[in-house]
Structures are given as C-alpha cells and as structure tokens.
Amino acid sequence: MNLGQGTIGDGAVAVAVRAAEKVFPNGTRALSPIDLTVRQGEFLSLIGPSGCGKSTLLKLIANFYDTTAGSLAWWQGDFSKVGQPGRRLAFVFQEPTLMPWARVAANVRLALDLEKQDGEDPAAKVAAALKQVGLADFAGSYPRQLSGGMKMRVSIARALIDRPDLLLMDEPFGALDEFTRNKLDLDLVQLAWQRRLTTLFVTHSIYEAVFLSTRIVVMAANPGRIFGELVVDEPQPREEGFRNSLRFVKTCQELSAMLAEASRQRLDA
Amino acid sequence: MRGGLWTTLAPLLVGIVLLCVWEAACRFFEIPQYLFPAPSAIAASFQEHWSYLLTSLWTTVRVTLQAFAFAVVIGTLVAFLFVQSRFAQVAFFPYVVLLQVTPIVAIAPLIIILVKSTSVSLVICATIIALFPMISNTITGLRSVDPGLLSYFKMKKAGRLRTLMRLRIPSALPFFLAGLRISSGLALIGAVVAEFVAGTGGRNSGLAYLILNAGFQLDIPLMFAALGLIAVLGIVMFMAMTALTQLMLGHWHESALKDNL
C-alpha cells in the first residue's frame, strides 16, 4: 500500500484541516478527528464508502457548517478572508443547482451579482465563462431546456466565473451517464491544469478519481476518517489516452484494494 | 389540431348544446317559470332588469375585489412574518387555522353586529374566507427553496434581504400564484355568503341580496339571471388569475408550460 506523502503539490498550503470533528445535532458522528493538508495546485479526490463523511468534509471546507471540534485554516487565515484575491473559493454541487426561472446567462451571472463587484463588463465575463464550458450558444436558454450534462456545465461556468483559487466539487458528475461523465472529466482536468486550480473533488468512482487526481485520499466509515492516500504520478496535462494505459489500470487496482480494505475496517467494533 | 382555438370552442360548444337541451326540455314538459325557467325567460328577465342587475353586480364586484386585495396583502405580509420569525409562526399559526376552520356563516352575524357599516363588514367576512390560502401557500412557497441554492447563497455571503429577493421570492412565485387562484374564487364566495347572512339591502345591495329578494317574490328568472352573473364573475376572475400565472411562469415553471398541456 502506498501511504507516501508524495512529491506533487509542494506549493503553499491552501487548506489545513487540523483534528476537525463533526457531530451532527442528531448525534451522528460524521467525522472523527481529521487531519488534511491541501496544497496549491493539487487535484485531490476524496473517495470512500457511503457514510464515510467525504461530503461532510468537503462542506466543512466550504464553511457550509462549523466543526464540532478542531480547526480549519484557509490560506493560513480564517474564513472571513476567503473571497479576497488569491483566496477565492467556488463550490459545485451534486445537482446543477440552477435557478429554473433564470436563463443560463443569468444563472452564471448570479456569481457576480452576489459579489457586487464592479469593474470588468459582467456580460463579457459571462460570455467567456460559457465559452469555456462549450455553451456559448445556450446563453439565452432556460435550464429545463438543457440536458443533465449541459446543466452541470452551466454550474461549472458559474463556479469558474468567480476565478476561484480553490474549487470544491461534490460528486458533480454522479448523476450523468458514463459517456458524458468521461467527457466532462477530461474537460475539467485540462481546465484545472490550465488555470492552475486547486481542486477538491468528492467521488464514488475509482476510475474518475484516478483519471483526475494528483492525490487520492481514501476514507473509511463509522466514524468517518482518513484511511490512507495514494499519489497518482501521471504527468500533466492529462490526456484521454491515460484511461487506456497500463499505469491507469494498475493505479485503479491499487486504489480498489485500498477501498476494499477501508470498507472492511471498523473502528467502533 | 390542438391549437388555442379548439380549447376555446369545445367548452363553448358544450355550453350551447346544454342551453338548447334546457330550453327544449322546459318547452316540451311545459315547466312553469316559477319552478324552473327556460334560458329564454332568464334572458328576458335580464333584459328587463339589466340596470338593477348591473348595479348589484358592481357592488358584489367591489366587495370581492376589496376582500381579495386585502387577503393578498395581509396574507403575504403574514407569510413573510412567519417565515422570518419562527416564534411568530409557532405563536400565531394556530389562530390562523382557527379563523380558517370556523365557518364564516357562524362568525358573519357577529361581525355584522360589531361593524357599523354593512359594506365594511361584508369586506371583512370575505377577506377572512380568502385569507387562508394566501398565507398557507405563500409560506409553503417561501420555504420551498432548493437547499443547494440556499447553501450557495450562504457561501457567497449573501445577506437576508438579497436571499429573499433573489431566491425566496422567485421560488415562492408558483405557490403564491396558486394561492391567488384559490383566493380570488373564495373572495367571491365570501362576498356572496356574507351578504346572504347580512340579509340587508339598502342603497348598495349586491347580487346575493338580489337573489334573496327575487326568491321572496318568486321571480325565479331574475334569480337565475343573478346567479348567471355570479358565475360569469367567478369565471372571469379565474381566467384573469390563470392569465397572470401564464404571464409570470410561462417561461419556466412546469405548471404553466404550454407543451405540458
């Protein structure tokens, strides 16, 4: 098993999670103390069996709710400084999470509207973001007129228009068919590389995790904790050909074995 | 073809056929006018009493619209209050329900005694009837916000007002409009029922009093003419609300999409 700390992502620390715990008001212990360091430029995937708290961990980092114990630091500061240049954060949900009453352009623009920034022409920014996800021709459509994959692209455009330094994604392609998912994965991994994005990605799919990530953190359930990690030492930018390579298959096997072990182990026994 | 013309023509055709059957049956069985008048007799009565009928109609329309307006304004405000404050909802909602479940015919005499002006008491009664669907629907609407979008607004550090304007109100719109459709009809029912209970005429009496009076005088065709006007008023209000819904939701909400019909 490869538990090495790895050499990728030796940049500055983007997020530091220190002994963070999460117990929900109903008593569910979602996360036992977690230590995790995310470095700038990493593409880090969280993977594990259902109930392992990977989504909870991501939402803690997004500050959707507070930790029960332990601490989190964003770029060595607290959350109040998030949003400043160089410390921008964006979240992509499991669902596209679009406003059904607004056109695609207005949905993407929402990110800017809520920031109340002035300066650059928002319409031009929206157009650029939509072009980046290949939806330049759909600015005037309503979400209901788009396919699942296209809605997800709108959601990604809304995240990208913020020019995030840290992109958090919670199983964004889980509901899509495999073909669409593969296409979006390729677009995402290349985009993340071009923009030097730091990305935290929650997934259920071994293949997706291996294809996208520079580092994979395997989590175990009952209570949610980090079981181990795996560095994917594949050069950037990733190409579609990686999927068919022997390295890919081997890494998938390794990850699969780790996951099987993580699913077997229980701490509370 | 399933165009718009057909959806207008079909109900119209049914109506005409029913009227013809009605007329024919009345003539064939020689039913006396004071029992069940034929459409022609109702039309004749309308022609004879049109100014009386239209004056009464205007009174009923006024009471209905005033009550409807009050119900919408009060209902929406109460809903906003309840959604903003958990305490307000817990403390006051049972009384809103109480107002809803108590039959208006039981409260109306009390209101009519307490309030001096008959027209004001009629509006109060009709408002009480029309109020509940507005409160209940608007609350449901304001709470039916996509939790993901709510998280998104929170992450973007959007304030309460901004979240209300950009997220809660648009999300609530379909429910609010459904409330309007129910409430407009109830306002009319309230206006008519309250006038029946009040049973007063005076200078500005409405269609309900006209029906009561016509009943006393066994002028059944006039009764039917007034009844017809009430029905038309109800249909017009319903159609207006449907058109408003179409206008505001037609481009996005499932309930109003043309291709779903």
Side-chain angles (χ1 to χ4, degrees), chain B residues 99-146:
Chain B
L99 213 58
Q100 154 76 2
V101 296
T102 314
I104 192 68
V105 278
I107 331 172
L110 186 70
I111 294 172
I112 288 160
I113 291 168
L114 289 177
V115 181
K116 253 195 186 137
S117 155
T118 315
S119 58
V120 172
S121 57
L122 293 186
V123 172
I124 292 176
C125 289
T127 306
I128 290 174
I129 285 200
L131 190 59
F132 189 75
M134 284 318 301
I135 298 180
S136 153
N137 273 38
T138 311
I139 288 178
T140 309
L142 289 171
R143 290 205 193 286
S144 311
V145 177
D146 179 347

Tab-separated table of all heavy atoms in Angstrom, chain B residues 99-146:
chain	number	residue	atom	x	y	z
B	99	LEU	N	-59.236	30.633	12.431
B	99	LEU	CA	-60.008	31.523	11.558
B	99	LEU	C	-60.500	30.777	10.321
B	99	LEU	O	-61.596	31.018	9.806
B	99	LEU	CB	-59.094	32.680	11.128
B	99	LEU	CG	-59.751	34.031	10.914
B	99	LEU	CD1	-60.456	34.477	12.159
B	99	LEU	CD2	-58.693	35.043	10.505
B	100	GLN	N	-59.653	29.856	9.868
B	100	GLN	CA	-59.975	29.118	8.647
B	100	GLN	C	-61.059	28.078	8.893
B	100	GLN	O	-61.958	27.905	8.082
B	100	GLN	CB	-58.683	28.459	8.118
B	100	GLN	CG	-58.867	27.224	7.278
B	100	GLN	CD	-59.348	27.567	5.876
B	100	GLN	OE1	-59.499	28.724	5.537
B	100	GLN	NE2	-59.607	26.547	5.071
B	101	VAL	N	-60.982	27.369	10.028
B	101	VAL	CA	-61.901	26.245	10.226
B	101	VAL	C	-63.258	26.688	10.766
B	101	VAL	O	-64.217	25.928	10.699
B	101	VAL	CB	-61.300	25.172	11.166
B	101	VAL	CG1	-60.067	24.547	10.525
B	101	VAL	CG2	-60.971	25.739	12.521
B	102	THR	N	-63.343	27.905	11.311
B	102	THR	CA	-64.649	28.354	11.797
B	102	THR	C	-65.493	28.790	10.597
B	102	THR	O	-65.067	29.646	9.836
B	102	THR	CB	-64.477	29.542	12.756
B	102	THR	OG1	-63.434	29.238	13.666
B	102	THR	CG2	-65.756	29.823	13.496
B	103	PRO	N	-66.677	28.200	10.430
B	103	PRO	CA	-67.486	28.552	9.262
B	103	PRO	C	-67.838	30.041	9.269
B	103	PRO	O	-68.209	30.582	10.307
B	103	PRO	CB	-68.743	27.703	9.437
B	103	PRO	CG	-68.372	26.627	10.380
B	103	PRO	CD	-67.302	27.165	11.257
B	104	ILE	N	-67.710	30.663	8.129
B	104	ILE	CA	-67.933	32.105	8.053
B	104	ILE	C	-69.378	32.458	8.404
B	104	ILE	O	-69.639	33.498	9.006
B	104	ILE	CB	-67.529	32.654	6.666
B	104	ILE	CG1	-67.483	34.195	6.673
B	104	ILE	CG2	-68.461	32.215	5.588
B	104	ILE	CD1	-66.379	34.774	7.514
B	105	VAL	N	-70.314	31.567	8.057
B	105	VAL	CA	-71.713	31.866	8.372
B	105	VAL	C	-71.931	31.978	9.878
B	105	VAL	O	-72.861	32.620	10.342
B	105	VAL	CB	-72.683	30.809	7.795
B	105	VAL	CG1	-72.967	31.093	6.339
B	105	VAL	CG2	-72.153	29.422	7.978
B	106	ALA	N	-71.011	31.336	10.640
B	106	ALA	CA	-71.139	31.403	12.089
B	106	ALA	C	-70.565	32.701	12.660
B	106	ALA	O	-71.045	33.209	13.669
B	106	ALA	CB	-70.440	30.201	12.725
B	107	ILE	N	-69.531	33.234	12.000
B	107	ILE	CA	-68.919	34.468	12.518
B	107	ILE	C	-69.581	35.704	11.930
B	107	ILE	O	-69.604	36.756	12.566
B	107	ILE	CB	-67.404	34.575	12.170
B	107	ILE	CG1	-66.764	33.192	12.041
B	107	ILE	CG2	-66.663	35.403	13.196
B	107	ILE	CD1	-65.353	33.256	11.518
B	108	ALA	N	-70.107	35.561	10.717
B	108	ALA	CA	-70.610	36.737	9.997
B	108	ALA	C	-71.612	37.571	10.805
B	108	ALA	O	-71.462	38.797	10.859
B	108	ALA	CB	-71.205	36.310	8.662
B	109	PRO	N	-72.621	36.952	11.463
B	109	PRO	CA	-73.577	37.781	12.212
B	109	PRO	C	-72.889	38.639	13.254
B	109	PRO	O	-73.230	39.813	13.443
B	109	PRO	CB	-74.487	36.737	12.872
B	109	PRO	CG	-74.344	35.520	12.051
B	109	PRO	CD	-72.959	35.526	11.529
B	110	LEU	N	-71.877	38.067	13.907
B	110	LEU	CA	-71.137	38.805	14.933
B	110	LEU	C	-70.445	40.027	14.320
B	110	LEU	O	-70.518	41.139	14.848
B	110	LEU	CB	-70.105	37.863	15.566
B	110	LEU	CG	-69.348	38.414	16.755
B	110	LEU	CD1	-70.270	38.554	17.943
B	110	LEU	CD2	-68.165	37.519	17.099
B	111	ILE	N	-69.779	39.782	13.197
B	111	ILE	CA	-69.063	40.886	12.542
B	111	ILE	C	-70.052	41.968	12.105
B	111	ILE	O	-69.792	43.164	12.252
B	111	ILE	CB	-68.262	40.349	11.332
B	111	ILE	CG1	-67.153	39.414	11.831
B	111	ILE	CG2	-67.668	41.490	10.515
B	111	ILE	CD1	-66.434	38.682	10.747
B	112	ILE	N	-71.206	41.506	11.589
B	112	ILE	CA	-72.196	42.471	11.102
B	112	ILE	C	-72.762	43.308	12.255
B	112	ILE	O	-73.051	44.489	12.092
B	112	ILE	CB	-73.297	41.724	10.314
B	112	ILE	CG1	-72.703	41.246	8.984
B	112	ILE	CG2	-74.498	42.619	10.060
B	112	ILE	CD1	-73.461	40.141	8.328
B	113	ILE	N	-72.855	42.680	13.433
B	113	ILE	CA	-73.323	43.444	14.598
B	113	ILE	C	-72.249	44.431	15.049
B	113	ILE	O	-72.517	45.593	15.342
B	113	ILE	CB	-73.670	42.481	15.771
B	113	ILE	CG1	-74.907	41.670	15.417
B	113	ILE	CG2	-73.888	43.260	17.065
B	113	ILE	CD1	-75.160	40.519	16.358
B	114	LEU	N	-70.993	43.950	15.078
B	114	LEU	CA	-69.908	44.772	15.622
B	114	LEU	C	-69.547	45.948	14.721
B	114	LEU	O	-69.196	47.025	15.202
B	114	LEU	CB	-68.664	43.897	15.859
B	114	LEU	CG	-68.775	42.901	17.012
B	114	LEU	CD1	-67.516	42.056	17.100
B	114	LEU	CD2	-69.004	43.623	18.333
B	115	VAL	N	-69.590	45.700	13.400
B	115	VAL	CA	-69.164	46.747	12.470
B	115	VAL	C	-70.392	47.508	11.981
B	115	VAL	O	-71.358	46.908	11.515
B	115	VAL	CB	-68.398	46.147	11.273
B	115	VAL	CG1	-67.935	47.238	10.329
B	115	VAL	CG2	-67.207	45.350	11.780
B	116	LYS	N	-70.323	48.797	12.074
B	116	LYS	CA	-71.491	49.626	11.743
B	116	LYS	C	-71.838	49.554	10.261
B	116	LYS	O	-72.959	49.272	9.875
B	116	LYS	CB	-71.213	51.078	12.151
B	116	LYS	CG	-71.994	51.487	13.386
B	116	LYS	CD	-71.986	52.977	13.522
B	116	LYS	CE	-72.642	53.344	14.852
B	116	LYS	NZ	-71.915	54.380	15.553
B	117	SER	N	-70.820	49.812	9.439
B	117	SER	CA	-71.082	49.874	8.007
B	117	SER	C	-71.243	48.467	7.443
B	117	SER	O	-70.391	47.602	7.649
B	117	SER	CB	-69.924	50.588	7.317
B	117	SER	OG	-69.839	50.178	5.980
B	118	THR	N	-72.351	48.249	6.732
B	118	THR	CA	-72.598	46.926	6.159
B	118	THR	C	-71.526	46.571	5.136
B	118	THR	O	-71.012	45.444	5.122
B	118	THR	CB	-73.970	46.886	5.470
B	118	THR	OG1	-74.909	47.500	6.318
B	118	THR	CG2	-74.382	45.473	5.175
B	119	SER	N	-71.160	47.524	4.281
B	119	SER	CA	-70.211	47.188	3.215
B	119	SER	C	-68.854	46.821	3.812
B	119	SER	O	-68.179	45.901	3.321
B	119	SER	CB	-70.086	48.340	2.222
B	119	SER	OG	-69.666	49.502	2.890
B	120	VAL	N	-68.475	47.499	4.916
B	120	VAL	CA	-67.199	47.154	5.556
B	120	VAL	C	-67.272	45.741	6.144
B	120	VAL	O	-66.344	44.945	5.998
B	120	VAL	CB	-66.837	48.173	6.656
B	120	VAL	CG1	-65.619	47.699	7.441
B	120	VAL	CG2	-66.575	49.538	6.052
B	121	SER	N	-68.393	45.424	6.790
B	121	SER	CA	-68.492	44.092	7.392
B	121	SER	C	-68.504	43.005	6.312
B	121	SER	O	-67.953	41.919	6.515
B	121	SER	CB	-69.725	43.984	8.291
B	121	SER	OG	-70.874	44.278	7.569
B	122	LEU	N	-69.085	43.293	5.170
B	122	LEU	CA	-69.068	42.318	4.074
B	122	LEU	C	-67.623	42.069	3.615
B	122	LEU	O	-67.213	40.921	3.413
B	122	LEU	CB	-69.899	42.819	2.886
B	122	LEU	CG	-71.410	42.939	3.080
B	122	LEU	CD1	-72.088	43.308	1.765
B	122	LEU	CD2	-72.007	41.644	3.621
B	123	VAL	N	-66.876	43.161	3.482
B	123	VAL	CA	-65.477	43.024	3.040
B	123	VAL	C	-64.675	42.226	4.069
B	123	VAL	O	-63.867	41.363	3.711
B	123	VAL	CB	-64.846	44.415	2.801
B	123	VAL	CG1	-63.343	44.283	2.539
B	123	VAL	CG2	-65.512	45.100	1.631
B	124	ILE	N	-64.935	42.483	5.353
B	124	ILE	CA	-64.207	41.746	6.401
B	124	ILE	C	-64.493	40.248	6.295
B	124	ILE	O	-63.563	39.422	6.303
B	124	ILE	CB	-64.585	42.277	7.809
B	124	ILE	CG1	-64.052	43.699	7.988
B	124	ILE	CG2	-64.008	41.362	8.895
B	124	ILE	CD1	-64.456	44.345	9.302
B	125	CYS	N	-65.768	39.904	6.175
B	125	CYS	CA	-66.136	38.479	6.074
B	125	CYS	C	-65.462	37.819	4.872
B	125	CYS	O	-64.881	36.727	4.983
B	125	CYS	CB	-67.648	38.329	5.924
B	125	CYS	SG	-68.554	38.726	7.408
B	126	ALA	N	-65.547	38.479	3.727
B	126	ALA	CA	-64.969	37.901	2.509
B	126	ALA	C	-63.450	37.793	2.630
B	126	ALA	O	-62.847	36.818	2.165
B	126	ALA	CB	-65.355	38.742	1.298
B	127	THR	N	-62.833	38.771	3.295
B	127	THR	CA	-61.377	38.726	3.477
B	127	THR	C	-60.976	37.520	4.325
B	127	THR	O	-60.013	36.811	4.009
B	127	THR	CB	-60.873	40.018	4.146
B	127	THR	OG1	-61.324	41.140	3.384
B	127	THR	CG2	-59.362	40.035	4.229
B	128	ILE	N	-61.740	37.289	5.403
B	128	ILE	CA	-61.430	36.155	6.283
B	128	ILE	C	-61.458	34.847	5.491
B	128	ILE	O	-60.577	33.995	5.642
B	128	ILE	CB	-62.426	36.105	7.459
B	128	ILE	CG1	-62.165	37.279	8.405
B	128	ILE	CG2	-62.308	34.782	8.211
B	128	ILE	CD1	-63.181	37.411	9.519
B	129	ILE	N	-62.433	34.718	4.622
B	129	ILE	CA	-62.540	33.490	3.837
B	129	ILE	C	-61.380	33.348	2.853
B	129	ILE	O	-60.827	32.271	2.662
B	129	ILE	CB	-63.879	33.458	3.058
B	129	ILE	CG1	-65.017	33.153	4.030
B	129	ILE	CG2	-63.836	32.442	1.945
B	129	ILE	CD1	-66.251	32.642	3.356
B	130	ALA	N	-60.993	34.470	2.244
B	130	ALA	CA	-59.986	34.405	1.175
B	130	ALA	C	-58.557	34.394	1.715
B	130	ALA	O	-57.616	34.146	0.970
B	130	ALA	CB	-60.178	35.587	0.220
B	131	LEU	N	-58.406	34.644	3.014
B	131	LEU	CA	-57.065	34.877	3.570
B	131	LEU	C	-56.201	33.614	3.659
B	131	LEU	O	-55.036	33.617	3.284
B	131	LEU	CB	-57.225	35.496	4.969
B	131	LEU	CG	-55.973	36.038	5.639
B	131	LEU	CD1	-55.336	37.110	4.785
B	131	LEU	CD2	-56.327	36.596	7.011
B	132	PHE	N	-56.805	32.528	4.142
B	132	PHE	CA	-56.011	31.353	4.499
B	132	PHE	C	-55.160	30.787	3.354
B	132	PHE	O	-53.971	30.527	3.543
B	132	PHE	CB	-56.883	30.274	5.112
B	132	PHE	CG	-56.083	29.141	5.679
B	132	PHE	CD1	-55.403	29.286	6.874
B	132	PHE	CD2	-55.963	27.941	4.995
B	132	PHE	CE1	-54.646	28.252	7.383
B	132	PHE	CE2	-55.199	26.910	5.493
B	132	PHE	CZ	-54.542	27.062	6.698
B	133	PRO	N	-55.736	30.589	2.170
B	133	PRO	CA	-54.892	30.042	1.097
B	133	PRO	C	-53.698	30.926	0.755
B	133	PRO	O	-52.634	30.411	0.407
B	133	PRO	CB	-55.829	29.942	-0.116
B	133	PRO	CG	-57.179	30.230	0.378
B	133	PRO	CD	-57.127	30.786	1.747
B	134	MET	N	-53.870	32.235	0.902
B	134	MET	CA	-52.737	33.130	0.620
B	134	MET	C	-51.623	32.910	1.638
B	134	MET	O	-50.453	32.791	1.276
B	134	MET	CB	-53.177	34.599	0.685
B	134	MET	CG	-53.963	35.105	-0.502
B	134	MET	SD	-53.359	34.574	-2.098
B	134	MET	CE	-51.718	35.223	-2.092
B	135	ILE	N	-51.990	32.849	2.921
B	135	ILE	CA	-50.974	32.654	3.963
B	135	ILE	C	-50.294	31.302	3.775
B	135	ILE	O	-49.071	31.194	3.670
B	135	ILE	CB	-51.612	32.725	5.368
B	135	ILE	CG1	-52.214	34.099	5.611
B	135	ILE	CG2	-50.577	32.397	6.448
B	135	ILE	CD1	-52.870	34.253	6.975
B	136	SER	N	-51.116	30.284	3.695
B	136	SER	CA	-50.588	28.924	3.658
B	136	SER	C	-49.730	28.685	2.416
B	136	SER	O	-48.634	28.135	2.500
B	136	SER	CB	-51.771	27.968	3.751
B	136	SER	OG	-51.490	26.774	3.155
B	137	ASN	N	-50.208	29.126	1.257
B	137	ASN	CA	-49.447	28.904	0.029
B	137	ASN	C	-48.153	29.705	0.002
B	137	ASN	O	-47.118	29.202	-0.419
B	137	ASN	CB	-50.292	29.284	-1.194
B	137	ASN	CG	-51.134	28.135	-1.657
B	137	ASN	OD1	-51.650	27.394	-0.837
B	137	ASN	ND2	-51.280	27.975	-2.941
B	138	THR	N	-48.228	30.959	0.446
B	138	THR	CA	-47.022	31.785	0.404
B	138	THR	C	-45.971	31.251	1.370
B	138	THR	O	-44.774	31.237	1.049
B	138	THR	CB	-47.353	33.252	0.712
B	138	THR	OG1	-48.467	33.649	-0.097
B	138	THR	CG2	-46.196	34.159	0.403
B	139	ILE	N	-46.405	30.771	2.534
B	139	ILE	CA	-45.440	30.174	3.475
B	139	ILE	C	-44.766	28.971	2.825
B	139	ILE	O	-43.538	28.852	2.813
B	139	ILE	CB	-46.135	29.734	4.781
B	139	ILE	CG1	-46.527	30.945	5.610
B	139	ILE	CG2	-45.221	28.832	5.602
B	139	ILE	CD1	-47.258	30.594	6.884
B	140	THR	N	-45.583	28.085	2.265
B	140	THR	CA	-45.015	26.901	1.610
B	140	THR	C	-44.019	27.332	0.542
B	140	THR	O	-42.927	26.774	0.431
B	140	THR	CB	-46.131	26.064	0.962
B	140	THR	OG1	-47.136	25.830	1.940
B	140	THR	CG2	-45.607	24.740	0.454
B	141	GLY	N	-44.398	28.346	-0.237
B	141	GLY	CA	-43.525	28.815	-1.310
B	141	GLY	C	-42.210	29.358	-0.790
B	141	GLY	O	-41.141	28.997	-1.277
B	142	LEU	N	-42.300	30.194	0.225
B	142	LEU	CA	-41.080	30.821	0.744
B	142	LEU	C	-40.152	29.793	1.376
B	142	LEU	O	-38.946	29.997	1.465
B	142	LEU	CB	-41.432	31.906	1.764
B	142	LEU	CG	-42.073	33.168	1.187
B	142	LEU	CD1	-42.586	34.068	2.292
B	142	LEU	CD2	-41.091	33.926	0.305
B	143	ARG	N	-40.730	28.673	1.819
B	143	ARG	CA	-39.897	27.620	2.415
B	143	ARG	C	-39.389	26.623	1.376
B	143	ARG	O	-38.464	25.874	1.654
B	143	ARG	CB	-40.699	26.853	3.473
B	143	ARG	CG	-40.986	27.663	4.713
B	143	ARG	CD	-41.196	26.750	5.915
B	143	ARG	NE	-41.764	27.451	7.040
B	143	ARG	CZ	-41.093	28.307	7.805
B	143	ARG	NH1	-39.818	28.537	7.547
B	143	ARG	NH2	-41.688	28.915	8.805
B	144	SER	N	-40.032	26.594	0.211
B	144	SER	CA	-39.642	25.592	-0.802
B	144	SER	C	-38.473	26.079	-1.630
B	144	SER	O	-38.587	26.207	-2.836
B	144	SER	CB	-40.797	25.289	-1.736
B	144	SER	OG	-41.940	25.032	-1.015
B	145	VAL	N	-37.386	26.341	-0.969
B	145	VAL	CA	-36.213	26.808	-1.691
B	145	VAL	C	-35.256	25.640	-1.828
B	145	VAL	O	-35.066	24.884	-0.879
B	145	VAL	CB	-35.551	27.965	-0.931
B	145	VAL	CG1	-34.298	28.409	-1.619
B	145	VAL	CG2	-36.512	29.118	-0.797
B	146	ASP	N	-34.690	25.489	-3.006
B	146	ASP	CA	-33.684	24.463	-3.243
B	146	ASP	C	-32.570	24.609	-2.197
B	146	ASP	O	-31.908	25.645	-2.142
B	146	ASP	CB	-33.140	24.667	-4.666
B	146	ASP	CG	-32.064	23.681	-5.023
B	146	ASP	OD1	-31.556	23.002	-4.111
B	146	ASP	OD2	-31.742	23.572	-6.211
